[in-house]
Amino acid sequence: NRILVVDVTPTLLYVGVMPTELTPTQRLAEVLISRPLAEYVSEKRNARPRWPWRLIAEQLATDTDGQVNVTYEALRGWYGDLETADAS
């Protein structure tokens, strides 16, 4: 099952289809960074300049004190279908 996710903040809009169940790694990351991982990734992908997937994966490892090490391919596989656009 998949659900549509829409998030609007003053500077960011993303619309995408997300899996309804997170992997154990995704759940651990969310606990350690104290926010949804999709939001974390989307914020970095929508930054200017845009963060590459590899840098997001490296930063996630840093932000979780090395407890979450995922490849950039994993992040892109989980969140690569998020459509992004500036809300302004």
Side-chain angles (χ1 to χ4, degrees):
N1 292 339
R2 295 165 69 89
I3 58 172
L4 180 65
V5 175
V6 178
D7 180 29
V8 179
T9 63
T11 60
L12 167 70
L13 164 70
Y14 74 78
V15 178
V17 178
M18 299 295 299
T20 56
E21 293 187 30
L22 299 176
T23 68
T25 300
Q26 289 169 306
R27 288 194 307 267
L28 174 61
E30 289 189 351
V31 167
L32 294 172
I33 62 174
S34 301
R35 62 193 281 203
L37 186 56
E39 177 185 294
Y40 176 93
V41 170
S42 182
E43 177 183 284
K44 290 172 178 6
R45 288 294 292 168
N46 287 303
R48 295 293 181 248
R50 175 175 285 204
W51 286 45
W53 290 107
R54 189 178 311 268
L55 185 57
I56 297 170
E58 291 171 3
Q59 188 63 48
L60 180 61
T62 299
D63 290 347
T64 61
D65 294 325
Q67 294 183 58
V68 177
N69 286 301
V70 295
T71 64
Y72 73 93
E73 292 98 340
L75 287 176
R76 189 172 52 204
W78 293 337
Y79 303 110
D81 62 347
L82 292 177
E83 297 288 332
T84 59
D86 287 331
S88 56

